[in-house]
Amino acid sequence: MSDTQNLFAKLDSDARKNGYFLNPDSAFTMELVEGLLANEKRFGHQACPCRLADGNRQEDLDIICPCDYRDADLDDFGACYCALYVSKDIAEGKAKAEPLPDRRPMKRDERQQFREKKAGTGASGLSHPVWRCRVCGYLAARDEPPGVCPICKATKDRFDRFM
Amino acid sequence: MKFEKVEGVDKGKIVLYALSTCVWCKRTKQFLSNLGVKFEYIFVDLLQGTERDSIMKDVEKWNPRCSFPTMVIGDSKCIVGFKEDEIREALK
Ligand code: SF4
């Protein structure tokens, strides 16, 4: 198998295991996988193919694929910015992936703020709800529960708000 | 600056700022080729240093978000993203 096919197979199997879906348009997806490999080759890390990477890992941390913005874009638009990851509806051909606006903050300090919010720092309490899988107890601090529990594969509707 | 030129019907100046790894950019470039219009494009990720900075200043003027693809038509209209309908309309 070529490097592209290998990486595709790995991403596809990871996605399935964790309740994510790759874009079913295989030509489109393969080109994105090639982009990830091209970035790995020139930068040493798999920076997002559809964003202008700096090349320095520290500068690019938030856009190393899967980027910090994927889940929010999947929740709001049914696809990540590049449309490598898509919703179940799009994966099943019931909807089409459309281009979406980039939510990555333009400036470095805004990115830092986004990260701190995501990490839930600050005295004011939690920045995100915490969801608990009723089946295995897995906890996830994010805006929405995951599509399936990455540990026991229970579906999203089996999560309760925990905190 | 090394813009690549694609020959076609002259609809005024069309400049496409793109990334070499971005699939939406590739689709936009393909779409313009299929429309058969004359345009020029540049892969900003392949530029370094001051060359990149100076092109990014141009991109920012049109698209403050600096996302790709950014397309500028006739030095007056900017289309951000692979928006087939908008592009077709603008190039009628
Ligand atoms: S937008 Fe999609 S392809 Fe790009 S880094 Fe994020 S998850 Fe990966």
Side-chain angles (χ1 to χ4, degrees):
Chain A
M1 276 208 294
S2 71
D3 288 351
T4 316
Q5 284 165 329
N6 273 327
L7 180 58
F8 170 80
K10 180 183 176 297
L11 293 176
D12 190 48
S13 117
D14 286 351
R16 282 169 203 274
K17 265 186 248 154
N18 295 314
Y20 290 91
F21 302 89
L22 294 187
N23 194 324
D25 179 342
S26 55
F28 191 96
T29 302
M30 278 302 180
E31 285 179 56
L32 283 172
V33 173
E34 275 165 22
L36 286 172
L37 285 172
N39 283 348
E40 173 159 26
K41 202 162 165 205
R42 58 183 172 168
F43 306 138
H45 54 267
Q46 288 177 7
C48 181
C50 306
R51 293 178 170 115
L52 184 61
D54 178 90
N56 174 318
R57 190 180 166 90
Q58 282 306 316
E59 292 293 325
D60 291 343
L61 267 189
D62 60 325
I63 53 163
I64 292 177
C65 188
C67 62
D68 290 6
Y69 314 102
R70 175 186 65 172
D71 289 357
D73 281 332
L74 280 170
D75 288 343
D76 292 350
F77 300 104
C80 72
Y81 180 60
C82 296
L84 174 61
Y85 292 93
V86 297
S87 65
K88 190 160 186 267
D89 274 359
I90 294 178
E92 288 171 352
K94 291 181 198 147
K96 214 177 134 235
E98 300 283 349
L100 48 110
D102 190 3
R103 75 169 69 222
R104 183 192 199 206
M106 268 285 293
K107 300 211 169 60
R108 207 178 280 156
D109 50 329
E110 292 167 13
R111 283 177 203 153
Q112 192 56 35
Q113 282 164 15
F114 184 94
R115 237 167 102 182
E116 279 162 13
K117 183 178 175 286
K118 215 177 150 163
T121 47
S124 56
L126 300 172
S127 62
H128 285 79
V130 179
W131 303 92
R132 179 179 184 276
C133 172
R134 285 202 297 281
V135 178
C136 73
Y138 167 77
L139 298 179
R142 41 185 275 172
D143 290 328
E144 294 267 336
V148 304
C149 174
I151 305 298
C152 74
K153 315 303 169 211
T155 47
K156 179 175 183 168
D157 48 7
R158 304 197 67 185
F159 277 77
D160 283 330
R161 177 87 187 250
F162 184 68
M163 281 168 93
Chain B
M1 219 55 79
K2 33 189 180 310
F3 281 89
E4 298 289 334
K5 299 203 184 334
V6 177
E7 289 309 323
V9 184
D10 192 350
K11 296 259 181 179
K13 194 173 178 202
I14 303 173
V15 182
L16 177 69
Y17 299 92
L19 301 179
S20 66
T21 51
C22 164
V23 182
W24 293 119
C25 297
K26 286 187 201 171
R27 292 290 182 275
T28 307
K29 188 166 151 261
Q30 191 60 49
F31 187 70
L32 286 175
S33 302
N34 291 348
L35 284 178
V37 296
K38 182 170 128 194
F39 69 100
E40 47 190 270
Y41 68 92
I42 193 159
F43 287 136
V44 182
D45 61 311
L46 302 181
L47 305 174
Q48 315 276 346
T50 50
E51 222 180 7
R52 185 193 281 198
D53 293 345
S54 112
I55 286 283
M56 283 311 287
K57 280 213 186 79
D58 294 340
V59 175
E60 194 178 356
K61 249 189 278 163
W62 293 103
N63 170 16
R65 290 264 351 146
C66 291
S67 57
F68 298 90
T70 291
M71 186 179 150
V72 181
I73 303 171
D75 274 324
S76 61
K77 187 178 166 54
C78 171
I79 299 178
V80 176
F82 178 44
K83 310 255 176 61
E84 276 176 274
D85 295 342
E86 246 181 80
I87 299 172
R88 200 180 285 116
E89 188 60 30
L91 295 180
K92 255 210 270 198

